[in-house]
Amino acid sequence: MARNDGIDRTSVRNANLTRTQIGNTQRHNEREKDAYTNPDIVPERTALNIHFKKPSGGYAEMFTQMEADKVISTRGLKADACLYGELIFDVNSAYFDNHGSYDFAKQFYTDAYRSAIEIVGGEQFILSAVMHADERNRAMSEALGRDVYHYHLHVVYIPVVEKQILWSKRCKDKSLVGTVKETITQVSSSKKWKSLPAVDEQGRPILQKNGKPVLRKSYSVLQDDFFNAMRAAGYTDVERGERGSSEEHLTVTQFKMGREQERLAALENQVEAKEEILQKVEQKIEVKKGTVATFAEIDNMDRKTLMGKVEFSQQEAENLKQLAKKGVAADTTIKDLQRNLKSARRDAQIWKRRYEELKEQVKDFLAAVRKAPERVMSFISKVLHAEQTEPPKVQRQRESAVER
């Protein structure tokens, strides 16, 4: 994700999905919904979405068929186990906008899909791979005054590992006990993304101070694999998502909150700029008012004669002429400045109001993130999962209500 530092970064995150969650994922990825809670989806551009692998049916139906064909095995899994995985490949929108947008994104994610095949362990385990080209980047669009789209790739797959089944003690041939009976392709998210001990150049485990092994987090390895694959494919102008950064696991809600924080900062800058202009205009008016105030000197210039006439010295007459000219000019300038001041004050009030509204909307979230970032992320994840598990009818009703 972009950090507004001019550096383009790759990002890939993995989501583990259960039987009850996969339906919502399918409806979102394949654009099967009648309405979306995400206001940035532009239905008129959905035809531009690209499938690198189009599903032959529903995700759940494809899974069931693969299990029936013994391509995969769910032996020993619990009823609520995560049977699916989704990789979401991403780069900040500015990267594609600066390289030709749609066509460049299409080529980039063609190469990203090749890396996904390696990460997953084979294309046969991929159910769907689709690049979304119909989601508008609101923040960039508003900043640039034209539509900018957020291109990203969804890859839904079945997480599998090879598992050896050994002959048990109940085997009649005791010589076979403990030997390999068969090797199965087991569905397992936990084993697929198990963190492994880190080793040094000699292959020896790297230990912590307490003697426990240092683990290479599986999602960090995922970031490395994707980044290295894209560098090898020739994309040398992107950097890896930062290690240890929460951006590697951003939920959609967090991502949008980040964008709103950026907009909040932009509003702050605009309010400050308007106030600076306002201050300069007020200063100019004070200067002009000071000039006009000198007209009071005129009252002290005249001297009345015995005949009731008013006399001026030559210097006083000249000063009077100069003051009269300045007065005419100042009157016009003051009117212009007063109009500018009125406009600047109105604009400043608008920006202040927008800033305060946005600040009020995000204050609780920002306060919660500062105090307990891990608990906030956990809560958001639970909310999103709860939304995904809603019955389709209830969820469609809620989405329709939001859209209205």
Side-chain angles (χ1 to χ4, degrees), residues 13 15 17 21-33 36 41 45-55 57 59 84-89 126-135 152-157 252 388 399:
R13 67 180 186 272
L17 304 168
Q21 294 169 335
I22 196 61
N24 186 65
T25 299
Q26 176 182 321
R27 290 189 293 275
H28 173 79
N29 290 0
E30 307 302 328
R31 294 301 192 244
E32 296 174 348
K33 297 183 179 182
Y36 296 89
I41 294 177
R45 283 182 58 92
T46 298
L48 295 175
N49 292 348
I50 299 172
H51 272 93
F52 297 106
K53 183 172 183 180
K54 193 173 182 65
Y59 295 172
Y84 306 87
E86 181 182 25
L87 296 171
I88 303 176
F89 297 87
I126 294 177
L127 303 180
S128 174
V130 57
M131 180 190 89
H132 283 170
D134 60 354
E135 294 186 29
H152 54 282
L153 173 65
H154 293 266
V155 177
V156 178
Y157 67 99
V252 173
Q388 291 175 335
E399 291 170 349

Side-chain angles (χ1 to χ4, degrees), residues 246-262:
S246 59
E247 71 185 21
E248 294 182 5
H249 310 288
L250 283 177
T251 63
V252 173
T253 300
Q254 288 171 301
F255 175 79
K256 290 186 180 295
M257 183 58 69
R259 286 293 177 267
E260 291 304 313
Q261 286 180 263
E262 292 176 7

Side-chain angles (χ1 to χ4, degrees), residues 228-242:
N228 292 333
M230 299 314 291
R231 276 298 179 96
Y235 301 94
T236 57
D237 55 350
V238 290
E239 297 297 330
R240 181 196 185 279
E242 294 185 11

